[in-house]
Amino acid sequence: MEHKIFELGDFTLQKGSVLPSAKLGYVTLGELNEAKDNVVVCPTWFTATPSDTASWLTGKGRALDPEKYFIVVPNHFGAAVSSSPSNTPAPFGRGLFPRVTAYDNVVAQHRLLTEELGVEKIRLVTSWSLGACQTYAWAALHPEMVRAIAPISGSARTAEYNKVFLHSLIRAVTSDSDWNDGFYADKPPVKGMKTFAAIYAGWGFSEPFYREELYRSFGASDTEQFIDIFWDPFFLKCDANDLLAQVWTWLHNDLGDHPKFGGDFEAALRSITARTIILNAETDRYFPPVDSEYEAKQIPGAEARAIPTIWGHLAPFNPEDQSFIDKALTQLLEDPLRS
């Protein structure tokens, strides 16, 4: 799947800095129909390239079927295809990469949709995890454009408990003696990255997942081997600076943190006019359903549907849970009440 690049030029960021010669990576699937009303946007999630996201969320016969919809998958900043610490020239690369918010990503993606692809209306914005955070931002910043949203295993504001997890990831990497403030050249902080992976292992899946030993379905005989064969490769393929740039975006995600809303989180949620179904796994430790239920009460007409699963945050990778998710996405895509 070929990654395309949209040149943004010098891109002003929400927190006051500028990302010079910014690049937005993306893929498209399917064709834009004559009415231009079959557009689906799927922002990428933590560590994901556009092709990763397309592979797991879309497919023939699934809700997001490229034979029916024109699907745009933009890569958020920091995730290696778009401008990131690992691919940005000095003096803004590596440990000096500027801080990027979810809103910055949506502003860039809006330019891609309108300037490059000629899109004026979006039938559905949906994605998982950090992609879900961007989904909320799309609906709050462009209510006139977005018809429906389905945030999957994400939140409109990163909760305090979630932040504890993120701080542990930051310390895992930055405490490695090879970190060197992000300027590690050809000796990356491998020990810190493996600690990062081990911490993630305890959060990504749920306690029942481990109690029932579902890790054995991945070919692991015990939990330590599961970390070795699943979690270590998942993160060791990534650049450490890229990971921490994305962690910063996740850590500071707050839908109310925008001049349009002046820090009022509830006002930001109430501004969403898109038909909304929030999908969080009932065993998700990052984004528990209690947070989804609160958000749904603030968004006019929204629903929160807990995914009945023991796969925790990684429910979208379980085929049975994919069916539950696809049912909600199909409902939103076919909903005749919104235009």
Side-chain angles (χ1 to χ4, degrees), residues 297-309:
K297 289 178 181 177
Q298 304 299 318
I299 300 171
E303 299 176 54
R305 297 183 188 175
I307 306 168
T309 181

Side-chain angles (χ1 to χ4, degrees), residues 211-230:
R211 175 161 34 87
E212 297 187 19
E213 300 184 356
L214 293 191
Y215 54 81
R216 294 183 182 277
S217 65
F218 291 80
S221 59
D222 56 32
T223 53
E224 184 176 17
Q225 189 179 41
F226 185 47
I227 294 171
D228 291 341
I229 68 174
F230 180 84

Side-chain angles (χ1 to χ4, degrees), residues 45 56-57 62 128-129 152-154 203-206 209 214 218 230-231 279-287 305-326:
W45 51 72
W56 282 103
L57 274 186
R62 294 198 60 187
W128 173 60
S129 197
I152 306 166
S153 298
W203 284 73
F205 291 106
S206 72
F209 176 93
L214 293 191
F218 291 80
F230 180 84
W231 289 105
L279 296 157
N280 275 2
E282 60 185 13
T283 50
D284 196 318
R285 295 185 66 194
Y286 309 131
F287 308 108
R305 297 183 188 175
I307 306 168
T309 181
I310 66 170
W311 276 59
H313 186 62
L314 273 73
F317 294 87
N318 177 24
E320 183 177 336
D321 298 327
Q322 287 175 357
S323 297
F324 184 95
I325 292 166
D326 278 3

Side-chain angles (χ1 to χ4, degrees), residues 53-239:
T53 301
S55 295
W56 282 103
L57 274 186
T58 74
K60 184 177 180 181
R62 294 198 60 187
L64 305 186
D65 189 335
E67 294 187 4
K68 295 181 180 179
Y69 302 105
F70 179 57
I71 304 168
V72 183
V73 187
N75 189 230
H76 59 279
F77 293 122
V81 180
S82 291
S83 291
S84 305
S86 63
N87 62 25
T88 297
F92 296 100
R94 297 196 285 181
L96 296 178
F97 190 73
R99 303 305 193 188
V100 178
T101 68
Y103 277 119
D104 289 324
N105 283 294
V106 168
V107 170
Q109 293 164 22
H110 180 265
R111 284 187 53 189
L112 167 68
L113 269 289
T114 57
E115 297 175 18
E116 180 74 4
L117 302 178
V119 170
E120 298 178 356
K121 296 289 183 181
I122 300 172
R123 194 177 190 92
L124 175 68
V125 183
T126 184
S127 193
W128 173 60
S129 197
L130 188 57
C133 302
Q134 297 167 71
T135 296
Y136 284 103
W138 257 108
L141 201 58
H142 297 289
E144 78 293 342
M145 191 174 184
V146 179
R147 176 183 184 266
I149 63 170
I152 306 166
S153 298
S155 66
R157 178 173 64 186
T158 300
E160 295 303 304
Y161 183 57
N162 195 335
K163 290 178 182 179
V164 172
F165 160 69
L166 296 173
H167 285 302
S168 70
L169 297 180
I170 294 169
R171 291 193 181 191
V173 174
T174 59
S175 63
D176 188 318
S177 58
D178 292 328
W179 168 243
N180 194 30
D181 294 325
F183 293 89
Y184 40 80
D186 60 349
K187 192 180 180 184
V190 172
K191 290 179 291 185
M193 296 281 280
K194 294 186 76 171
T195 302
F196 184 111
I199 294 169
Y200 227 101
W203 284 73
F205 291 106
S206 72
E207 185 276 333
F209 176 93
Y210 287 102
R211 175 161 34 87
E212 297 187 19
E213 300 184 356
L214 293 191
Y215 54 81
R216 294 183 182 277
S217 65
F218 291 80
S221 59
D222 56 32
T223 53
E224 184 176 17
Q225 189 179 41
F226 185 47
I227 294 171
D228 291 341
I229 68 174
F230 180 84
W231 289 105
D232 281 355
F234 193 91
F235 291 110
L236 287 175
K237 72 181 188 306
C238 302
D239 175 80

Side-chain angles (χ1 to χ4, degrees), residues 219-285:
S221 59
D222 56 32
T223 53
E224 184 176 17
Q225 189 179 41
F226 185 47
I227 294 171
D228 291 341
I229 68 174
F230 180 84
W231 289 105
D232 281 355
F234 193 91
F235 291 110
L236 287 175
K237 72 181 188 306
C238 302
D239 175 80
N241 276 311
D242 286 357
L243 286 177
L244 293 196
Q246 295 173 79
V247 167
W248 193 96
T249 300
W250 182 352
L251 184 64
H252 293 85
N253 178 53
D254 184 345
L255 199 67
D257 183 21
H258 189 276
K260 182 177 179 180
F261 307 113
D264 190 331
F265 178 63
E266 285 72 22
L269 289 169
R270 290 193 298 270
S271 75
I272 295 175
T273 59
R275 174 79 170 90
T276 301
I277 299 177
I278 304 170
L279 296 157
N280 275 2
E282 60 185 13
T283 50
D284 196 318
R285 295 185 66 194

